[in-house]
Amino acid sequence: MQLHTSDQSWSAAPLNALVALAPPSSGELTRHTYDLTPGIWTNRSSAALAAVNPLRRVPVLVTAGGVALTDSLAAIRFYARTEAPVWLGTDADSDEQRAAIIDSRVSTWASGVRPLVRYALDALCARGDEDERDERFIEEVCGKLHGSDDLFMSNLPNGVRAYLRLLNGTWLADNNKYVAGGDRASVADLVVYADYIVLVRVLKQSFEGYDAIKEWAERMQTLVGEHYSEFCGAMDEYGEMIDAPGALSVVDDNASGDAVNN
């Protein structure tokens, strides 16, 4: 297998962590890591990534059979199914419902929260200022960027508030330590934790009143913190972009050949 990825990518972080926590049983995985820092990310790097994914998106997991999985959730599910079934609930020690719960919660969270996180990061990562739509989105959804520390919570759409209540009051209720219940982490935790880091470090979410989420996040930091270190640093850089006057702008539909999150 081959993994084309970046330590600076929000969407690649869950798969990167899973590979680190559960190395392939065969030991045969070649990792290609791309530095997405402007000025270092070059047309040559872009061409290398385009060879496996013409959309120039990370992560890309290339199977032993040569199939390139270019969707981040499909890639982490495939890797877990073939190399780390305990993380997908398909191992022999899991009850028959666990795999279905994990899959359902990944899909539920990804369909409701990830599009908003992606849009916000796209706006914050932008390089031109031609399109006022993105600055308007940041103002309306994420709040005044140079104002309160709690920029995101007071402006969250009701739907996203509902997902946070679902996570805090249902998925992590009744002493459940992790997103899919019980005391064992899964790919669902890795996916949700990446979004949590963006909410906290970039969009300045405080999570006051969400005690179950805060306790879960502490457990996740202990479990995968070192494997998210580069990713967390990249998210801090996004946060610094927020504080820089005039930093917000919009990407021109990847016309420059930049890599993007998948």
Side-chain angles (χ1 to χ4, degrees), residues 92-161:
D93 294 330
S94 294
D95 63 67
E96 61 183 13
Q97 296 185 62
R98 182 167 173 78
I101 293 172
I102 292 171
D103 191 61
S104 173
R105 293 188 177 175
V106 168
S107 298
T108 298
W109 183 268
S111 64
V113 178
R114 297 210 114 199
L116 175 63
V117 174
R118 180 194 303 278
Y119 200 117
L121 286 180
D122 283 349
L124 294 175
C125 293
R127 288 173 171 74
D129 56 1
E130 299 86 358
D131 192 341
E132 296 180 357
R133 176 197 59 188
D134 294 271
E135 291 198 17
R136 186 166 64 251
F137 168 84
I138 291 296
E139 290 290 333
E140 293 175 353
V141 177
C142 300
K144 298 293 184 180
L145 294 175
H146 307 288
S148 167
D149 288 337
D150 190 11
L151 298 176
F152 198 61
M153 175 54 79
S154 62
N155 293 278
L156 276 173
N158 290 333
V160 179
R161 289 197 189 96

Short mmCIF file of all heavy atoms in Angstrom, two decimals, residues 92-161:
data_model
loop_
_atom_site.label_atom_id
_atom_site.label_comp_id
_atom_site.label_asym_id
_atom_site.label_seq_id
_atom_site.Cartn_x
_atom_site.Cartn_y
_atom_site.Cartn_z
N ALA A 92 -12.99 -9.97 15.79
CA ALA A 92 -13.72 -11.09 16.39
C ALA A 92 -14.24 -10.77 17.79
O ALA A 92 -15.23 -11.38 18.25
CB ALA A 92 -12.81 -12.32 16.44
N ASP A 93 -13.61 -9.81 18.48
CA ASP A 93 -14.01 -9.51 19.86
C ASP A 93 -15.14 -8.49 19.96
O ASP A 93 -15.63 -8.22 21.06
CB ASP A 93 -12.80 -9.00 20.65
CG ASP A 93 -11.73 -10.06 20.83
OD1 ASP A 93 -12.11 -11.25 20.87
OD2 ASP A 93 -10.54 -9.71 20.90
N SER A 94 -15.56 -7.92 18.85
CA SER A 94 -16.64 -6.91 18.88
C SER A 94 -18.00 -7.60 18.78
O SER A 94 -18.14 -8.64 18.14
CB SER A 94 -16.49 -5.93 17.71
OG SER A 94 -15.31 -5.17 17.85
N ASP A 95 -19.00 -6.98 19.43
CA ASP A 95 -20.34 -7.53 19.28
C ASP A 95 -20.87 -7.14 17.90
O ASP A 95 -20.32 -6.28 17.21
CB ASP A 95 -21.27 -7.02 20.39
CG ASP A 95 -21.46 -5.51 20.35
OD1 ASP A 95 -22.06 -5.02 19.38
OD2 ASP A 95 -21.00 -4.83 21.29
N GLU A 96 -21.95 -7.78 17.49
CA GLU A 96 -22.42 -7.64 16.12
C GLU A 96 -22.94 -6.24 15.79
O GLU A 96 -23.04 -5.86 14.63
CB GLU A 96 -23.52 -8.65 15.86
CG GLU A 96 -24.74 -8.50 16.76
CD GLU A 96 -25.79 -9.57 16.52
OE1 GLU A 96 -25.47 -10.57 15.83
OE2 GLU A 96 -26.92 -9.41 16.99
N GLN A 97 -23.26 -5.44 16.80
CA GLN A 97 -23.79 -4.11 16.55
C GLN A 97 -22.72 -3.03 16.44
O GLN A 97 -22.98 -1.96 15.90
CB GLN A 97 -24.76 -3.70 17.67
CG GLN A 97 -26.00 -4.57 17.78
CD GLN A 97 -26.96 -4.03 18.81
OE1 GLN A 97 -27.47 -2.92 18.69
NE2 GLN A 97 -27.20 -4.81 19.85
N ARG A 98 -21.53 -3.31 16.98
CA ARG A 98 -20.54 -2.24 17.09
C ARG A 98 -20.12 -1.68 15.74
O ARG A 98 -20.01 -0.47 15.57
CB ARG A 98 -19.31 -2.74 17.86
CG ARG A 98 -18.26 -1.65 18.06
CD ARG A 98 -17.20 -2.03 19.07
NE ARG A 98 -16.13 -1.06 19.14
CZ ARG A 98 -16.19 0.11 19.78
NH1 ARG A 98 -17.31 0.45 20.42
NH2 ARG A 98 -15.18 0.93 19.79
N ALA A 99 -19.89 -2.54 14.76
CA ALA A 99 -19.49 -2.05 13.44
C ALA A 99 -20.55 -1.14 12.85
O ALA A 99 -20.23 -0.10 12.24
CB ALA A 99 -19.22 -3.23 12.50
N ALA A 100 -21.81 -1.50 13.02
CA ALA A 100 -22.90 -0.68 12.48
C ALA A 100 -22.96 0.67 13.19
O ALA A 100 -23.21 1.71 12.56
CB ALA A 100 -24.23 -1.41 12.63
N ILE A 101 -22.74 0.68 14.51
CA ILE A 101 -22.76 1.94 15.27
C ILE A 101 -21.63 2.84 14.82
O ILE A 101 -21.82 4.04 14.58
CB ILE A 101 -22.66 1.65 16.78
CG1 ILE A 101 -23.93 0.94 17.26
CG2 ILE A 101 -22.45 2.95 17.55
CD1 ILE A 101 -23.84 0.46 18.69
N ILE A 102 -20.43 2.29 14.68
CA ILE A 102 -19.28 3.08 14.25
C ILE A 102 -19.53 3.68 12.88
O ILE A 102 -19.33 4.89 12.66
CB ILE A 102 -18.00 2.22 14.23
CG1 ILE A 102 -17.61 1.82 15.67
CG2 ILE A 102 -16.85 2.97 13.55
CD1 ILE A 102 -16.49 0.80 15.73
N ASP A 103 -19.98 2.85 11.94
CA ASP A 103 -20.22 3.33 10.58
C ASP A 103 -21.30 4.40 10.56
O ASP A 103 -21.17 5.42 9.86
CB ASP A 103 -20.63 2.15 9.69
CG ASP A 103 -20.65 2.52 8.23
OD1 ASP A 103 -19.59 2.89 7.69
OD2 ASP A 103 -21.73 2.45 7.61
N SER A 104 -22.35 4.19 11.33
CA SER A 104 -23.45 5.16 11.37
C SER A 104 -22.98 6.49 11.93
O SER A 104 -23.34 7.56 11.41
CB SER A 104 -24.59 4.60 12.22
OG SER A 104 -25.60 5.57 12.40
N ARG A 105 -22.17 6.45 12.98
CA ARG A 105 -21.77 7.71 13.61
C ARG A 105 -20.74 8.46 12.79
O ARG A 105 -20.73 9.70 12.77
CB ARG A 105 -21.30 7.43 15.05
CG ARG A 105 -22.50 6.96 15.86
CD ARG A 105 -22.29 6.81 17.33
NE ARG A 105 -23.60 6.44 17.92
CZ ARG A 105 -23.79 6.13 19.19
NH1 ARG A 105 -22.76 6.14 20.05
NH2 ARG A 105 -24.99 5.82 19.63
N VAL A 106 -19.89 7.75 12.08
CA VAL A 106 -18.99 8.42 11.14
C VAL A 106 -19.80 9.12 10.06
O VAL A 106 -19.57 10.30 9.75
CB VAL A 106 -18.01 7.42 10.50
CG1 VAL A 106 -17.27 8.05 9.32
CG2 VAL A 106 -16.99 6.92 11.53
N SER A 107 -20.77 8.42 9.48
CA SER A 107 -21.57 8.99 8.40
C SER A 107 -22.42 10.15 8.89
O SER A 107 -22.53 11.18 8.21
CB SER A 107 -22.47 7.90 7.80
OG SER A 107 -21.72 6.87 7.23
N THR A 108 -23.02 10.02 10.06
CA THR A 108 -23.87 11.08 10.61
C THR A 108 -23.07 12.34 10.85
O THR A 108 -23.47 13.44 10.46
CB THR A 108 -24.53 10.60 11.92
OG1 THR A 108 -25.36 9.48 11.64
CG2 THR A 108 -25.37 11.71 12.53
N TRP A 109 -21.92 12.20 11.50
CA TRP A 109 -21.09 13.37 11.81
C TRP A 109 -20.54 13.99 10.53
O TRP A 109 -20.56 15.21 10.36
CB TRP A 109 -19.95 12.96 12.73
CG TRP A 109 -19.10 14.11 13.16
CD1 TRP A 109 -17.96 14.56 12.55
CD2 TRP A 109 -19.33 14.98 14.27
NE1 TRP A 109 -17.47 15.65 13.21
CE2 TRP A 109 -18.29 15.93 14.27
CE3 TRP A 109 -20.31 15.04 15.25
CZ2 TRP A 109 -18.20 16.94 15.23
CZ3 TRP A 109 -20.23 16.05 16.21
CH2 TRP A 109 -19.17 16.97 16.19
N ALA A 110 -20.05 13.14 9.63
CA ALA A 110 -19.42 13.65 8.42
C ALA A 110 -20.39 14.41 7.54
O ALA A 110 -20.04 15.41 6.90
CB ALA A 110 -18.79 12.50 7.64
N SER A 111 -21.63 13.96 7.50
CA SER A 111 -22.61 14.63 6.65
C SER A 111 -23.11 15.93 7.24
O SER A 111 -23.52 16.84 6.52
CB SER A 111 -23.81 13.70 6.39
OG SER A 111 -24.50 13.42 7.60
N GLY A 112 -23.05 16.06 8.58
CA GLY A 112 -23.61 17.24 9.22
C GLY A 112 -22.62 18.32 9.59
O GLY A 112 -22.92 19.51 9.49
N VAL A 113 -21.42 17.94 10.00
CA VAL A 113 -20.47 18.91 10.54
C VAL A 113 -19.30 19.17 9.60
O VAL A 113 -18.87 20.31 9.43
CB VAL A 113 -19.94 18.44 11.91
CG1 VAL A 113 -18.90 19.41 12.47
CG2 VAL A 113 -21.10 18.28 12.89
N ARG A 114 -18.80 18.13 8.96
CA ARG A 114 -17.60 18.29 8.14
C ARG A 114 -17.74 19.30 6.99
O ARG A 114 -16.80 20.03 6.70
CB ARG A 114 -17.14 16.94 7.58
CG ARG A 114 -16.74 15.96 8.65
CD ARG A 114 -15.68 14.99 8.19
NE ARG A 114 -14.45 15.23 8.93
CZ ARG A 114 -13.25 14.81 8.52
NH1 ARG A 114 -13.14 14.16 7.40
NH2 ARG A 114 -12.18 15.07 9.25
N PRO A 115 -18.90 19.39 6.32
CA PRO A 115 -19.01 20.40 5.26
C PRO A 115 -18.78 21.82 5.76
O PRO A 115 -18.15 22.64 5.08
CB PRO A 115 -20.44 20.20 4.72
CG PRO A 115 -20.75 18.77 5.04
CD PRO A 115 -20.10 18.51 6.36
N LEU A 116 -19.28 22.12 6.96
CA LEU A 116 -19.08 23.45 7.52
C LEU A 116 -17.62 23.69 7.86
O LEU A 116 -17.06 24.75 7.56
CB LEU A 116 -19.94 23.63 8.76
CG LEU A 116 -19.73 24.95 9.53
CD1 LEU A 116 -20.12 26.13 8.66
CD2 LEU A 116 -20.53 24.94 10.83
N VAL A 117 -16.98 22.69 8.46
CA VAL A 117 -15.56 22.82 8.80
C VAL A 117 -14.73 23.00 7.54
O VAL A 117 -13.83 23.84 7.48
CB VAL A 117 -15.08 21.60 9.60
CG1 VAL A 117 -13.58 21.65 9.84
CG2 VAL A 117 -15.81 21.52 10.94
N ARG A 118 -15.04 22.22 6.52
CA ARG A 118 -14.30 22.35 5.25
C ARG A 118 -14.45 23.75 4.67
O ARG A 118 -13.47 24.37 4.23
CB ARG A 118 -14.81 21.32 4.24
CG ARG A 118 -14.10 21.38 2.89
CD ARG A 118 -14.86 20.61 1.82
NE ARG A 118 -15.05 19.22 2.19
CZ ARG A 118 -14.12 18.27 2.02
NH1 ARG A 118 -12.95 18.58 1.50
NH2 ARG A 118 -14.38 17.03 2.37
N TYR A 119 -15.67 24.26 4.68
CA TYR A 119 -15.91 25.58 4.09
C TYR A 119 -15.16 26.65 4.86
O TYR A 119 -14.55 27.56 4.29
CB TYR A 119 -17.41 25.86 4.07
CG TYR A 119 -17.81 26.95 3.08
CD1 TYR A 119 -18.65 26.67 2.01
CD2 TYR A 119 -17.35 28.26 3.22
CE1 TYR A 119 -19.01 27.65 1.11
CE2 TYR A 119 -17.70 29.24 2.32
CZ TYR A 119 -18.52 28.93 1.27
OH TYR A 119 -18.87 29.91 0.37
N ALA A 120 -15.19 26.55 6.18
CA ALA A 120 -14.50 27.54 7.00
C ALA A 120 -13.00 27.50 6.75
O ALA A 120 -12.35 28.54 6.60
CB ALA A 120 -14.81 27.31 8.47
N LEU A 121 -12.42 26.30 6.69
CA LEU A 121 -10.98 26.20 6.44
C LEU A 121 -10.62 26.69 5.05
O LEU A 121 -9.60 27.34 4.85
CB LEU A 121 -10.52 24.75 6.62
CG LEU A 121 -10.43 24.26 8.06
CD1 LEU A 121 -9.96 22.80 8.08
CD2 LEU A 121 -9.50 25.12 8.89
N ASP A 122 -11.47 26.38 4.06
CA ASP A 122 -11.21 26.87 2.71
C ASP A 122 -11.15 28.40 2.70
O ASP A 122 -10.31 29.01 2.04
CB ASP A 122 -12.30 26.39 1.74
CG ASP A 122 -12.13 24.93 1.35
OD1 ASP A 122 -11.06 24.37 1.65
OD2 ASP A 122 -13.06 24.37 0.75
N ALA A 123 -12.06 29.01 3.43
CA ALA A 123 -12.08 30.47 3.47
C ALA A 123 -10.83 31.01 4.17
O ALA A 123 -10.25 32.00 3.73
CB ALA A 123 -13.33 30.95 4.20
N LEU A 124 -10.42 30.35 5.25
CA LEU A 124 -9.26 30.84 6.00
C LEU A 124 -7.95 30.59 5.26
O LEU A 124 -6.97 31.31 5.47
CB LEU A 124 -9.22 30.16 7.37
CG LEU A 124 -10.37 30.50 8.30
CD1 LEU A 124 -10.29 29.68 9.57
CD2 LEU A 124 -10.37 31.99 8.64
N CYS A 125 -7.93 29.55 4.42
CA CYS A 125 -6.70 29.22 3.69
C CYS A 125 -6.57 29.99 2.39
O CYS A 125 -5.58 29.84 1.68
CB CYS A 125 -6.68 27.73 3.34
SG CYS A 125 -6.53 26.65 4.72
N ALA A 126 -7.56 30.79 2.07
CA ALA A 126 -7.61 31.40 0.75
C ALA A 126 -6.45 32.37 0.53
O ALA A 126 -5.88 32.90 1.45
CB ALA A 126 -8.93 32.13 0.60
N ARG A 127 -6.12 32.56 -0.75
CA ARG A 127 -4.96 33.37 -1.09
C ARG A 127 -5.30 34.65 -1.84
O ARG A 127 -4.46 35.52 -1.95
CB ARG A 127 -4.00 32.54 -1.94
CG ARG A 127 -3.30 31.46 -1.11
CD ARG A 127 -2.50 30.54 -2.01
NE ARG A 127 -1.68 29.64 -1.24
CZ ARG A 127 -2.13 28.60 -0.56
NH1 ARG A 127 -3.41 28.33 -0.55
NH2 ARG A 127 -1.32 27.83 0.12
N GLY A 128 -6.46 34.77 -2.43
CA GLY A 128 -6.84 35.99 -3.14
C GLY A 128 -7.99 36.65 -2.42
O GLY A 128 -8.52 36.11 -1.49
N ASP A 129 -8.38 37.82 -2.80
CA ASP A 129 -9.48 38.48 -2.12
C ASP A 129 -10.56 38.94 -3.09
O ASP A 129 -11.26 39.90 -2.86
CB ASP A 129 -8.97 39.68 -1.31
CG ASP A 129 -8.21 40.67 -2.16
OD1 ASP A 129 -8.09 40.45 -3.37
OD2 ASP A 129 -7.74 41.65 -1.58
N GLU A 130 -10.68 38.20 -4.20
CA GLU A 130 -11.63 38.62 -5.22
C GLU A 130 -13.08 38.33 -4.83
O GLU A 130 -13.99 39.04 -5.23
CB GLU A 130 -11.33 37.93 -6.56
CG GLU A 130 -9.94 38.26 -7.13
CD GLU A 130 -8.87 37.34 -6.56
OE1 GLU A 130 -9.21 36.50 -5.71
OE2 GLU A 130 -7.70 37.49 -6.96
N ASP A 131 -13.29 37.28 -4.08
CA ASP A 131 -14.65 36.81 -3.82
C ASP A 131 -15.08 37.21 -2.42
O ASP A 131 -14.56 36.71 -1.44
CB ASP A 131 -14.71 35.28 -3.98
CG ASP A 131 -16.13 34.77 -4.02
OD1 ASP A 131 -17.06 35.49 -3.59
OD2 ASP A 131 -16.31 33.64 -4.48
N GLU A 132 -16.05 38.12 -2.32
CA GLU A 132 -16.49 38.58 -1.01
C GLU A 132 -17.37 37.57 -0.30
O GLU A 132 -17.60 37.67 0.89
CB GLU A 132 -17.27 39.90 -1.16
CG GLU A 132 -16.41 41.03 -1.70
CD GLU A 132 -17.22 42.31 -1.84
OE1 GLU A 132 -18.44 42.25 -1.58
OE2 GLU A 132 -16.64 43.33 -2.20
N ARG A 133 -17.84 36.55 -1.03
CA ARG A 133 -18.73 35.56 -0.43
C ARG A 133 -18.10 34.90 0.78
O ARG A 133 -18.75 34.70 1.80
CB ARG A 133 -19.07 34.49 -1.47
CG ARG A 133 -19.92 33.35 -0.93
CD ARG A 133 -19.85 32.17 -1.87
NE ARG A 133 -18.48 31.71 -2.02
CZ ARG A 133 -18.10 30.79 -2.90
NH1 ARG A 133 -18.99 30.28 -3.73
NH2 ARG A 133 -16.85 30.41 -2.97
N ASP A 134 -16.80 34.58 0.70
CA ASP A 134 -16.17 33.83 1.78
C ASP A 134 -15.99 34.68 3.02
O ASP A 134 -16.15 34.20 4.13
CB ASP A 134 -14.85 33.26 1.30
CG ASP A 134 -15.07 32.21 0.22
OD1 ASP A 134 -15.22 31.04 0.58
OD2 ASP A 134 -15.14 32.59 -0.96
N GLU A 135 -15.64 35.95 2.84
CA GLU A 135 -15.55 36.80 4.02
C GLU A 135 -16.92 36.99 4.65
O GLU A 135 -17.05 37.05 5.87
CB GLU A 135 -14.93 38.15 3.63
CG GLU A 135 -13.45 38.03 3.27
CD GLU A 135 -12.76 39.39 3.31
OE1 GLU A 135 -13.32 40.32 3.92
OE2 GLU A 135 -11.66 39.50 2.75
N ARG A 136 -17.94 37.05 3.83
CA ARG A 136 -19.29 37.18 4.36
C ARG A 136 -19.69 35.92 5.13
O ARG A 136 -20.31 36.00 6.18
CB ARG A 136 -20.29 37.43 3.23
CG ARG A 136 -21.70 37.73 3.73
CD ARG A 136 -22.58 38.30 2.63
NE ARG A 136 -22.77 37.37 1.54
CZ ARG A 136 -22.22 37.49 0.32
NH1 ARG A 136 -21.45 38.54 0.06
NH2 ARG A 136 -22.45 36.61 -0.62
N PHE A 137 -19.29 34.76 4.61
CA PHE A 137 -19.56 33.50 5.32
C PHE A 137 -18.90 33.51 6.69
O PHE A 137 -19.51 33.16 7.70
CB PHE A 137 -19.04 32.32 4.51
CG PHE A 137 -19.02 31.02 5.28
CD1 PHE A 137 -20.15 30.25 5.37
CD2 PHE A 137 -17.87 30.61 5.93
CE1 PHE A 137 -20.15 29.07 6.09
CE2 PHE A 137 -17.86 29.43 6.65
CZ PHE A 137 -19.00 28.66 6.73
N ILE A 138 -17.63 33.92 6.73
CA ILE A 138 -16.92 33.94 8.01
C ILE A 138 -17.61 34.88 8.98
O ILE A 138 -17.79 34.57 10.17
CB ILE A 138 -15.46 34.37 7.80
CG1 ILE A 138 -14.70 33.27 7.03
CG2 ILE A 138 -14.77 34.63 9.13
CD1 ILE A 138 -14.58 31.97 7.78
N GLU A 139 -18.02 36.04 8.50
CA GLU A 139 -18.68 37.00 9.38
C GLU A 139 -20.00 36.45 9.91
O GLU A 139 -20.31 36.56 11.08
CB GLU A 139 -18.94 38.31 8.62
CG GLU A 139 -17.68 39.10 8.32
CD GLU A 139 -17.07 39.70 9.58
OE1 GLU A 139 -17.81 39.95 10.54
OE2 GLU A 139 -15.85 39.91 9.60
N GLU A 140 -20.78 35.81 9.02
CA GLU A 140 -22.11 35.37 9.41
C GLU A 140 -22.09 34.10 10.24
O GLU A 140 -22.87 33.93 11.18
CB GLU A 140 -22.96 35.15 8.16
CG GLU A 140 -23.27 36.45 7.41
CD GLU A 140 -24.01 36.19 6.12
OE1 GLU A 140 -24.17 35.01 5.75
OE2 GLU A 140 -24.43 37.17 5.48
N VAL A 141 -21.20 33.16 9.90
CA VAL A 141 -21.22 31.85 10.55
C VAL A 141 -20.21 31.76 11.68
O VAL A 141 -20.48 31.22 12.74
CB VAL A 141 -20.96 30.73 9.52
CG1 VAL A 141 -20.91 29.37 10.20
CG2 VAL A 141 -22.04 30.75 8.46
N CYS A 142 -19.04 32.30 11.49
CA CYS A 142 -17.98 32.16 12.50
C CYS A 142 -17.89 33.37 13.42
O CYS A 142 -17.15 33.35 14.39
CB CYS A 142 -16.63 31.95 11.81
SG CYS A 142 -16.60 30.48 10.78
N GLY A 143 -18.58 34.44 13.13
CA GLY A 143 -18.57 35.58 14.02
C GLY A 143 -17.52 36.61 13.63
O GLY A 143 -16.77 36.44 12.68
N LYS A 144 -17.43 37.66 14.42
CA LYS A 144 -16.42 38.69 14.18
C LYS A 144 -15.04 38.14 14.51
O LYS A 144 -14.76 37.75 15.64
CB LYS A 144 -16.70 39.92 15.05
CG LYS A 144 -18.04 40.59 14.76
CD LYS A 144 -18.07 41.22 13.39
CE LYS A 144 -19.36 41.97 13.14
NZ LYS A 144 -19.42 42.59 11.81
N LEU A 145 -14.17 38.10 13.52
CA LEU A 145 -12.91 37.40 13.70
C LEU A 145 -11.96 38.08 14.67
O LEU A 145 -11.08 37.44 15.21
CB LEU A 145 -12.23 37.24 12.33
CG LEU A 145 -13.00 36.34 11.37
CD1 LEU A 145 -12.34 36.32 10.01
CD2 LEU A 145 -13.09 34.94 11.93
N HIS A 146 -12.14 39.34 14.89
CA HIS A 146 -11.23 40.05 15.78
C HIS A 146 -11.93 40.45 17.07
O HIS A 146 -11.48 41.34 17.79
CB HIS A 146 -10.65 41.28 15.08
CG HIS A 146 -10.04 40.96 13.76
ND1 HIS A 146 -8.86 40.28 13.64
CD2 HIS A 146 -10.48 41.18 12.49
CE1 HIS A 146 -8.57 40.12 12.36
NE2 HIS A 146 -9.53 40.65 11.64
N GLY A 147 -13.02 39.78 17.38
CA GLY A 147 -13.80 40.13 18.56
C GLY A 147 -13.66 39.12 19.67
O GLY A 147 -12.57 38.82 20.13
N SER A 148 -14.78 38.56 20.09
CA SER A 148 -14.84 37.66 21.24
C SER A 148 -13.98 36.43 21.04
O SER A 148 -13.75 35.97 19.93
CB SER A 148 -16.29 37.24 21.47
OG SER A 148 -16.37 36.16 22.37
N ASP A 149 -13.50 35.86 22.17
CA ASP A 149 -12.77 34.59 22.11
C ASP A 149 -13.69 33.45 21.71
O ASP A 149 -13.25 32.45 21.17
CB ASP A 149 -12.14 34.28 23.47
CG ASP A 149 -10.96 35.19 23.77
OD1 ASP A 149 -10.38 35.72 22.82
OD2 ASP A 149 -10.65 35.35 24.95
N ASP A 150 -14.97 33.59 21.99
CA ASP A 150 -15.93 32.55 21.65
C ASP A 150 -16.55 32.88 20.29
O ASP A 150 -17.72 33.18 20.16
CB ASP A 150 -17.02 32.45 22.72
CG ASP A 150 -17.89 31.21 22.54
OD1 ASP A 150 -17.52 30.36 21.71
OD2 ASP A 150 -18.92 31.12 23.21
N LEU A 151 -15.70 32.82 19.25
CA LEU A 151 -16.11 33.30 17.94
C LEU A 151 -17.16 32.43 17.29
O LEU A 151 -18.04 32.92 16.60
CB LEU A 151 -14.89 33.36 17.01
CG LEU A 151 -13.77 34.31 17.43
CD1 LEU A 151 -12.61 34.17 16.48
CD2 LEU A 151 -14.26 35.73 17.48
N PHE A 152 -17.06 31.15 17.51
CA PHE A 152 -17.86 30.23 16.72
C PHE A 152 -19.18 29.88 17.36
O PHE A 152 -20.20 29.83 16.71
CB PHE A 152 -17.04 28.96 16.47
CG PHE A 152 -17.56 28.12 15.33
CD1 PHE A 152 -17.61 28.63 14.05
CD2 PHE A 152 -17.98 26.83 15.56
CE1 PHE A 152 -18.08 27.85 12.99
CE2 PHE A 152 -18.44 26.05 14.52
CZ PHE A 152 -18.49 26.55 13.23
N MET A 153 -19.20 29.67 18.69
CA MET A 153 -20.39 29.14 19.33
C MET A 153 -21.60 30.06 19.17
O MET A 153 -22.70 29.60 18.88
CB MET A 153 -20.12 28.90 20.82
CG MET A 153 -21.34 28.46 21.61
SD MET A 153 -22.17 27.03 20.91
CE MET A 153 -21.11 25.73 21.51
N SER A 154 -21.42 31.35 19.34
CA SER A 154 -22.56 32.25 19.30
C SER A 154 -23.15 32.36 17.90
O SER A 154 -24.25 32.88 17.73
CB SER A 154 -22.16 33.64 19.80
OG SER A 154 -21.17 34.19 18.96
N ASN A 155 -22.43 31.86 16.89
CA ASN A 155 -22.91 31.99 15.52
C ASN A 155 -23.11 30.65 14.82
O ASN A 155 -23.30 30.60 13.61
CB ASN A 155 -21.91 32.83 14.71
CG ASN A 155 -21.88 34.26 15.19
OD1 ASN A 155 -22.72 35.05 14.81
ND2 ASN A 155 -20.94 34.57 16.06
N LEU A 156 -23.04 29.56 15.60
CA LEU A 156 -23.23 28.26 14.98
C LEU A 156 -24.65 28.12 14.44
O LEU A 156 -25.60 28.47 15.12
CB LEU A 156 -23.00 27.15 16.01
CG LEU A 156 -21.56 26.71 16.25
CD1 LEU A 156 -21.52 25.74 17.41
CD2 LEU A 156 -20.98 26.07 15.02
N PRO A 157 -24.81 27.59 13.24
CA PRO A 157 -26.15 27.28 12.76
C PRO A 157 -26.81 26.28 13.71
O PRO A 157 -26.13 25.47 14.33
CB PRO A 157 -25.89 26.65 11.38
CG PRO A 157 -24.54 27.14 10.99
CD PRO A 157 -23.77 27.30 12.25
N ASN A 158 -28.12 26.34 13.81
CA ASN A 158 -28.81 25.45 14.72
C ASN A 158 -28.50 23.98 14.46
O ASN A 158 -28.42 23.18 15.39
CB ASN A 158 -30.32 25.68 14.62
CG ASN A 158 -30.74 27.01 15.20
OD1 ASN A 158 -30.07 27.54 16.09
ND2 ASN A 158 -31.84 27.56 14.71
N GLY A 159 -28.32 23.62 13.20
CA GLY A 159 -28.02 22.23 12.88
C GLY A 159 -26.74 21.75 13.51
O GLY A 159 -26.65 20.62 13.99
N VAL A 160 -25.69 22.60 13.51
CA VAL A 160 -24.42 22.19 14.09
C VAL A 160 -24.52 22.13 15.60
O VAL A 160 -23.95 21.25 16.24
CB VAL A 160 -23.30 23.15 13.64
CG1 VAL A 160 -21.97 22.75 14.26
CG2 VAL A 160 -23.19 23.14 12.13
N ARG A 161 -25.26 23.06 16.20
CA ARG A 161 -25.50 22.97 17.64
C ARG A 161 -26.15 21.64 17.97
O ARG A 161 -25.83 21.00 18.98
CB ARG A 161 -26.40 24.12 18.11
CG ARG A 161 -25.76 25.48 18.12
CD ARG A 161 -26.59 26.44 18.99
NE ARG A 161 -26.12 27.80 18.85
CZ ARG A 161 -26.65 28.69 18.02
NH1 ARG A 161 -27.68 28.36 17.26
NH2 ARG A 161 -26.17 29.92 17.95
#
